[in-house]
Amino acid sequence: MTTQQHSTTTSNNNNADNNTTSNKDSRRNNNRVKHSALAAGAALAVVVSVAGAAPGAGAAASAAPTKPKLRLLAATDSVTVERWAEEPGVYLDLSTYVTVDDVPLEFKVTRKSYKDPVIAEQIFRKGGKTTAKRLPPGIVKDFAGLPGFLEVSFRNSAGQEVAKDKGTFCPNNASGRIRPDAPATSHFPEGCPTNPFTLGSVWGVEKGWATNASSIDYEKPVDLPVGEYTAKVSVGKKYRDLFAIPNDQPTVKVTVLPAREEGGGSSGGGGGGVGLTARSSAHQGGGHGTTHGAHGTHAAHGAQQSAPHAGHHYGPRGADMPTVPAFPNALVDRGTAHHLGDGPGHTDGSRVAPGLKAAAKRPTGRAGVPANVPKPDLRSLPAWDIAVTDGEDGDVPGKDYLAFSANVWNAGPAPLVVDGFRKPGTGLMDAYQYFYDANGKQVGYTPTGTMEWDPRIGHEHWHFTDFASYRLLSADQTKEVRSGKEAFCLANTDAIDYTVKNANWHPYNTDLSTACGEKNSLSVREVLDVGSGDTYTQYRPGQSFDITGLPNGTYYIQVIANPEKRLQETNLNNNVALRKVILGGTEGARTVTVPPHDLIDVK
């Protein structure tokens, strides 16, 4: 088991069920988000009965505690799952949870640049004072969570060990309260980002909450034949020592059933256990099991929701499920949102993007941008998820295409807010960028181009033109040899850096179902929140580079944010990113080699 890349956390177990799914632009759907929430709801009811305590439990009698108290427990004593007919093994959610009490569990995970390693710090807060303790070097290598945290041993009915596994623990996984006086909502983000170019993340569990510690590696299902097994679950010794976790070793009975004739599915059974065997339909063209959806096919910021298919390539906003999911986000009811604001014990910023509902009418009066108004800072990430394909439906048969994933993100300190207003009788909207003060009051606006209706299958929504562009450059970076798509529907698919000022840890529009409008829309609002990025995987017809007839050799994929400089930003000097690629092979059998980008060795 490795990190559930698109594991999704729910601040309130019912909230994820409100998340609507859309297959538009093949943005990742959130079926797995819903499943995580349902699983958490069923399992945490058991957690409460196991760990339930009277209101006020956990409070120190004399001095306030300064460190979180962690325990591992199983929310159920049995789960029932089915094998997959087409792939060996099963995908297991053993419903094991890490409970947190006394004080929240919180981590800040960052890297200075792609030349620097990832650094993880545990954060402690007391009386308005914040201190940080760095975790041992090398223990955290990426932003997916704590590797090797969970250790699982499977024994058959004869008592013989037949399989062992280790799992990565993402503190932001599906979670919920274990006692009634715990905070009603969690202010921590949902999910651990797995975009290879993530720069900063925040992990955390509120006190009086529990978070799912079962992680599922869809690349490596557990190969258990049909039968009954006992799974013993424990926390790795280095983490028990590091966080003073008792050596609890709960056991869970696992019943493996044969695959159904018609594709298999999930079975729940055995004392209310939850078996996660059904893959999400995200690979069919919906959401970001990261879990955000991607565009382009808009398809995936976040977890890997579908098992791999041999010989088929997956990408975030691509025609299919992303290989590197980025950013999981269920829709969250923020409740009283008491956590918002910069102050003692609060790190998530004071400026929150306005609601996604567009203004009732286009702005009037003199357009203008006050000199001191906060603005977004759009930045490009280097391309990844790069592969040679023969195209998707609608491409020209017999040609070679270079497909890739690309992301433009917002480093803040203000969200990018763009409204479009319909030109009657046309498929065009006039677009306006809006500006807000620290209290969320609109203080300015400026015209910023157009939005256009894209009627193509897999799109069918409003695209904001000139948000980003892609080019394939020659080896000396002086000649443009191919150009790509420039119009997009904006969504917060990936958590790129949640440590920047005013980062919004709970963005609303995380897939195309929450923005981008319908054909009959009079207006739409598209928002790119601070700290989040929008990943497009260039797999749709007309998006990837046609490399048919292009000589073998070295090229650069160039990603440009705000190419026409129509959007107002704090900095226009960080809008371009390059990724080196080397083309080889012969026509019909082209190859691509992708050298590492500093320490990021991801193709």
Side-chain angles (χ1 to χ4, degrees), residues 132-152:
K133 177 183 178 182
R134 183 171 174 177
L135 300 190
I139 198 170
V140 172
K141 298 180 176 60
D142 54 31
F143 295 89
L146 300 171
F149 182 90
L150 208 65
E151 298 179 349
V152 187

Side-chain angles (χ1 to χ4, degrees), residues 134-447:
R134 183 171 174 177
L135 300 190
I139 198 170
V140 172
K141 298 180 176 60
D142 54 31
F143 295 89
L146 300 171
F149 182 90
L150 208 65
E151 298 179 349
V152 187
S153 170
F154 298 92
R155 294 184 179 273
N156 60 19
S157 56
Q160 300 169 319
E161 185 176 72
V162 295
K164 295 178 70 174
D165 222 331
K166 289 189 176 182
T168 298
F169 172 52
C170 168
N172 296 348
N173 276 342
S175 58
R177 295 189 295 173
I178 59 173
R179 51 187 178 82
D181 63 327
T185 59
S186 171
H187 82 286
F188 292 110
E190 292 96 32
C192 294
T194 55
N195 185 304
F197 291 100
T198 299
L199 288 165
S201 185
V202 175
W203 305 337
V205 185
E206 298 283 6
K207 70 174 181 179
W209 282 58
T211 188
N212 192 295
S214 298
S215 59
I216 302 163
D217 183 357
Y218 287 96
E219 298 286 348
K220 289 172 44 182
V222 182
D223 191 4
L224 294 177
V226 172
E228 293 189 349
Y229 304 87
T230 298
K232 179 183 286 187
V233 187
S234 61
V235 175
K237 186 177 186 303
K238 64 181 177 182
Y239 293 110
R240 297 200 309 268
D241 294 344
L242 187 60
F243 303 123
I245 304 174
N247 189 20
D248 297 320
Q249 299 183 27
T251 59
V252 179
K253 178 183 176 183
V254 178
T255 301
V256 180
L257 302 178
R260 298 180 188 180
E261 291 184 4
E262 302 260 341
S266 292
S267 275
V274 180
L276 179 55
T277 58
R279 282 173 278 162
S280 116
S281 60
H283 65 284
Q284 298 174 354
H288 188 160
T290 210
T291 283
H292 284 209
H295 286 69
T297 25
H298 251 160
H301 275 280
Q304 199 142 349
Q305 300 182 356
S306 63
H309 283 57
H312 204 49
H313 191 70
Y314 297 95
R317 274 205 199 203
D320 301 293
M321 191 54 210
T323 3
V324 189
F327 178 51
N329 272 312
L331 300 183
V332 176
D333 178 1
R334 303 177 75 153
T336 58
H338 61 278
H339 59 279
L340 297 178
D342 288 326
H346 302 304
T347 61
D348 55 330
S350 59
R351 191 170 295 104
V352 179
L356 286 186
K357 185 177 180 180
K361 57 185 179 180
R362 66 179 64 216
T364 57
R366 188 171 183 174
V369 183
N372 61 347
V373 69
K375 301 182 185 71
D377 180 10
L378 302 179
R379 302 181 184 183
S380 297
L381 298 182
W384 80 98
D385 200 24
I386 301 167
V388 173
T389 77
D390 58 1
E392 299 290 338
D393 293 341
D395 280 320
V396 179
K399 287 198 171 188
D400 296 315
Y401 295 89
L402 183 65
F404 58 96
S405 292
N407 183 292
V408 172
W409 72 287
N410 181 5
L416 172 65
V417 181
V418 178
D419 279 5
F421 297 93
R422 188 79 172 251
K423 292 183 176 181
T426 73
L428 290 175
M429 291 189 179
D430 294 318
Y432 300 86
Q433 182 181 359
Y434 288 81
F435 306 93
Y436 300 83
D437 63 17
N439 296 318
K441 179 183 177 182
Q442 181 189 324
V443 292
Y445 77 94
T446 184

